[in-house]
């Protein structure tokens, strides 16, 4: 039998339905792979007993012909999702050993559909970061290495554990979240597929909040089809999230293989950065050529406010974060560091519980929201956000179906390489934050390699609630570029 971990989710679904193997066998194969890959630090909590119990239960259902759309599929869950009776920390010391008594809507939908939980995945603390280096559990290692080098590279962030685990065949797919690029950038750094759906498509209920007007969950998987399969289970209206959209969930998988003939693909001139590496330029034009060969029409478009997106994001996101993170006071959750007064207890707990990047965001956020600065920073950033959104609307109004851009300005970098200057780290999200600011769907698909053998991704940005077009176009790129699997060294 072929190694069960190397199957795609769609192939495993077929194998389970044909009874070629059981979910317990598939789950055990993944638990073995996780154990052998602890060097990657992708999982912060393994749940083998729960995984086997879920697998046995779903095997019994499959035998009776009652398996759901994800029956028996082993998944990893980002540690930002609340999982009932399983420690959930957002990879922050401040949550300590917090064990939720409730399940996030998204994970409950995955279990409803028959998926199996392998464990909780590492991420940047409170999802703040682009390299998974801010986690209180330490950095995640990218399963990819540069040709002929054993330098350890970051998997991207904040969903670094999700991307690393999926790329290293430790799980068949993973949940992830994206506030400014945290699904798409790690997907691009690891040769995996990541989609951030339209804001409101997936429920945020039970996901640790970072910046609520930007946060959106989505899957990371190894193929476009697999991500479409996962999206269908993750999406849907949830009355417990007031920003959740009350719209029917399409059969995303049906979009795979659909013709893209006649579609207009926008190529935004503002995404051509000065000093952008040659290989990113090349990847971008190759991607455009593949879409053209499939019958799409390429059009030059302009998104004039692009250059303000990153600075505006770094006002809006910290502002919301500082407000969301006010709840970690040493009274309600996890860590408590006593003081002589309640005020001192708050201070001690927050000083000790939050890492440096989180403290930086809380301070920036508090500053831009403070009286006297609110109008100059926060209000102005919100206006810029509207202009960014309008750029995209103008573009779609001209008949553009989707926009093609690079996913990241470079391939994965080394652990510790970009620690000194926070702005250098923030620049990683230059192509992805606009999409969150506008609330649009965006998918990152692996499309090639850099000169050192590392995967690179392209991004497709879609109209609101038109994830289907992204799946159709993404698959065209996947077909042309092939799949990307790292050579095993761990
Ligand atoms: N890297 C960005 C940040 O640090 C985005 C993170 C995310 O999408 N969660 O804010």
């Amino acid at each position: 039998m072929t190694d069960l971990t190397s199957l795609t989710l769609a192939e495993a679904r077929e194998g389970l339905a044909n009874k070629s193997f059981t979910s317990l066998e598939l789950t055990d194969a993944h638990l073995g792979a996780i154990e052998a890959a602890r060097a990657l630090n992708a999982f912060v909590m393994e749940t083998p007993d729960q995984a086997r119990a879920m697998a046995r239960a779903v095997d019994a259902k499959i035998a009776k012909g009652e398996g759901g759309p994800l029956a028996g599929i082993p998944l990893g869950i980002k540690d930002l999702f609340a999982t009932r009776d399983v420690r959930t920390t957002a990879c922050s010391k401040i949550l300590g050993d917090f064990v939720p008594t409730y399940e996030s809507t998204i994970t409950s939908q995955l279990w409803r559909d028959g998926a199996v939980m392998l464990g909780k995945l590492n991420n940047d603390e409170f999802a703040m970061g682009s390299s998974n280096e801010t986690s209180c559990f330490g950095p995640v290692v990218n399963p990819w290495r540069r040709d002929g080098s054993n330098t350890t590279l970051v998997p991207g962030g904040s969903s670094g554990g999700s991307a690393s685990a999926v790329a290293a065949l430790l799980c068949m797919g993973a949940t992830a979240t994206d506030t400014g690029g945290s699904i798409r950038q790690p997907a691009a750094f690891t040769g995996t597929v990541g989609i951030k759906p339209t804001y409101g498509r997936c429920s945020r209920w039970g996901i640790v909040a970072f910046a609520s007007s930007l946060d959106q969950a989505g899957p990371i998987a190894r193929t476009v089809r697999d991500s479409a399969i996962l999206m269908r289970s993750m999406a849907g209206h949830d009355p417990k999230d007031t920003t959740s959209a009350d719209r029917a969930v399409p059969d995303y998988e049906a979009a795979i293989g659909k013709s893209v003939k006649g579609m207009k693909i926008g190529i935004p001139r503002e995404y051509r950065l000065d000093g952008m590496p040659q290989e990113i330029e090349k990847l971008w034009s190759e991607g455009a050529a593949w879409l053209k060969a499939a019958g799409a029409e390429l059009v030059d478009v302009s998104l004039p406010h692009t250059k303000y997106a990153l600075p505006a994001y770094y006002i809006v996101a910290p502002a919301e974060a500082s407000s969301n993170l006010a709840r970690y006071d040493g009274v309600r959750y996890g860590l408590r560091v006593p003081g002589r007064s309640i005020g001192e207890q708050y201070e001690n707990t927050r000083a000790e519980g939050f890492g440096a990047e989180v403290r930086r965001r809380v301070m920036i956020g508090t500053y831009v929201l403070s009286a006297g600065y609110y109008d100059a920073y926060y209000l102005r950033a919100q206006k810029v956000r509207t202009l960014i959104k309008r750029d995209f609307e103008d573009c779609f109004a001209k008949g553009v179906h989707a926009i093609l851009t690079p996913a990241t300005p470079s391939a994965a970098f080394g652990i510790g390489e970009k620690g000194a200057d926070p702005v250098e780290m923030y620049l990683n999200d230059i192509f992805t934050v606009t999409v969150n600011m506008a609330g649009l769907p965006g998918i990152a698909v692996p499309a090639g390699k850099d000169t050192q053998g590392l995967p690179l991704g392209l991004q497709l940005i879609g109209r609101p609630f038109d994830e289907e077009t992204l799946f159709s176009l993404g698959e065209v790129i996947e077909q042309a570029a092939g799949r990307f699997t790292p050579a095993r060294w761990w």
Side-chain angles (χ1 to χ4, degrees):
M1 195 156 45
T2 53
D3 180 6
L4 293 179
T5 61
S6 64
L7 300 175
T8 65
L9 194 159
E11 288 164 351
R13 181 180 62 179
E14 202 178 309
L16 287 163
N18 294 339
K19 314 235 171 13
S20 305
F21 45 83
T22 63
S23 174
L24 189 58
E25 287 166 332
L26 187 64
T27 300
D28 273 328
H30 285 90
L31 290 172
I34 293 170
E35 223 177 286
R38 295 215 172 106
L40 301 179
N41 201 25
F43 280 84
V44 295
M45 167 75 93
E46 297 169 19
T47 55
D49 295 342
Q50 180 162 348
R52 291 196 182 99
M54 287 173 99
R56 280 197 194 94
V58 81
D59 277 334
K61 281 196 166 173
I62 295 172
K64 285 193 278 177
E66 292 170 3
L70 290 175
I73 301 293
L75 301 178
I77 302 300
K78 186 176 183 178
D79 208 25
L80 223 61
F81 290 76
T83 40
R84 188 170 56 224
D85 299 334
V86 176
R87 191 190 70 184
T88 300
T89 68
C91 297
S92 178
K93 256 171 77 181
I94 210 156
L95 273 157
D97 284 320
F98 174 61
V99 177
T101 52
Y102 48 87
E103 188 78 29
S104 82
T105 297
I106 287 193
T107 47
S108 68
Q109 288 173 183
L110 294 170
W111 315 145
R112 170 202 69 197
D113 288 353
V116 167
M117 176 164 84
L118 294 167
K120 302 299 290 287
L121 293 160
N122 208 336
N123 51 251
D124 277 300
E125 185 179 3
F126 284 107
M128 297 175 193
S130 304
S131 64
N132 218 115
E133 294 173 287
T134 73
S135 164
C136 74
F137 296 104
V140 174
V141 175
N142 192 328
W144 287 88
R145 287 174 162 183
R146 295 179 183 123
D147 289 337
S149 153
N150 56 13
T151 304
T152 46
L153 304 177
V154 304
S158 65
S159 311
S162 306
S164 178
V166 170
L169 314 183
L170 311 186
C171 54
M172 312 213 86
T175 64
T177 62
D178 190 313
T179 303
S182 280
I183 292 176
R184 294 157 288 156
Q185 183 253 19
F189 276 14
T190 56
T192 56
V193 177
I195 178 162
K196 181 203 88 75
T198 312
Y199 185 78
R201 183 67 287 191
C202 290
S203 169
R204 291 182 295 108
W205 194 83
I207 301 173
V208 176
F210 165 9
S212 307
S213 77
L214 300 159
D215 295 345
Q216 187 59 200
I220 292 183
R222 288 196 287 274
T223 68
V224 176
R225 179 181 295 275
D226 289 0
S227 49
I229 295 171
L230 287 169
M231 259 299 294
R232 191 178 187 187
S233 293
M234 291 172 74
H237 179 237
D238 179 9
K240 288 189 282 193
D241 171 1
T242 53
T243 62
S244 157
D246 191 1
R247 300 170 72 113
V249 179
D251 176 5
Y252 293 116
E253 200 179 352
I256 308 282
K258 238 186 182 166
S259 170
V260 302
K261 233 190 170 120
M263 278 190 190
K264 268 193 182 183
I265 308 300
I267 309 289
R269 68 176 68 99
E270 291 79 7
Y271 283 58
R272 191 155 279 118
L273 303 178
D274 284 342
M276 188 157 83
Q278 189 56 42
E279 53 205 21
I280 302 282
E281 277 277 358
K282 191 168 149 263
L283 181 87
W284 195 8
S285 36
E286 246 166 31
W290 291 330
L291 295 179
K292 193 168 174 199
E297 183 196 339
L298 305 175
V299 291
D300 283 322
V301 297
S302 175
L303 300 165
H305 297 92
T306 299
K307 60 174 178 293
Y308 305 114
L310 205 60
Y313 170 85
Y314 275 98
I315 292 172
V316 175
E320 293 186 20
S322 74
S323 147
N324 271 325
L325 269 54
R327 74 190 71 179
Y328 302 104
D329 53 10
V331 177
R332 283 171 286 190
Y333 302 92
L335 184 77
R336 175 177 306 166
V337 183
R340 280 166 304 182
S341 63
I342 184 76
E344 209 178 277
Q345 177 177 303
Y346 293 161
E347 282 172 19
N348 293 348
T349 302
R350 289 167 68 82
E352 181 158 339
F354 289 142
E357 185 59 31
V358 175
R359 288 201 301 267
R360 178 180 297 128
R361 308 276 178 120
V362 169
M363 286 190 276
I364 295 173
T366 309
Y367 178 79
V368 300
L369 289 177
S370 59
Y373 294 104
Y374 184 91
D375 291 1
Y377 292 105
Y378 185 71
L379 214 55
R380 191 172 291 186
Q382 291 290 26
K383 287 180 183 161
V384 170
R385 185 175 183 176
T386 304
L387 295 173
I388 291 167
K389 193 158 175 255
R390 204 170 291 159
D391 284 353
F392 283 104
E393 283 164 4
D394 289 349
C395 197
F396 294 133
K398 289 186 187 124
V400 167
H401 293 87
I403 294 165
L404 180 74
T405 79
T408 57
S410 76
F413 46 89
I415 292 181
E417 225 170 73
K418 284 192 202 267
D421 179 4
V423 175
E424 205 191 339
M425 189 68 81
Y426 299 168
L427 283 169
N428 262 283
D429 301 315
I430 189 110
F431 299 133
T432 49
V433 284
T434 49
V435 179
N436 300 75
M437 293 294 263
L440 300 171
I443 192 170
V445 182
K449 285 186 182 174
D450 76 351
T451 51
Q452 297 178 297
L454 296 178
L456 293 169
L458 285 171
Q459 172 177 240
L460 286 152
I461 305 167
R463 295 173 175 179
F465 296 99
D466 189 15
E467 285 79 8
E468 287 158 286
T469 294
L470 300 186
F471 287 126
S472 301
L473 291 165
E475 205 243 2
V476 170
I477 291 176
E478 182 177 63
Q479 287 294 325
R483 297 243 326 263
F484 296 79
T485 311
R488 197 176 150 175
W489 52 265
W490 57 91

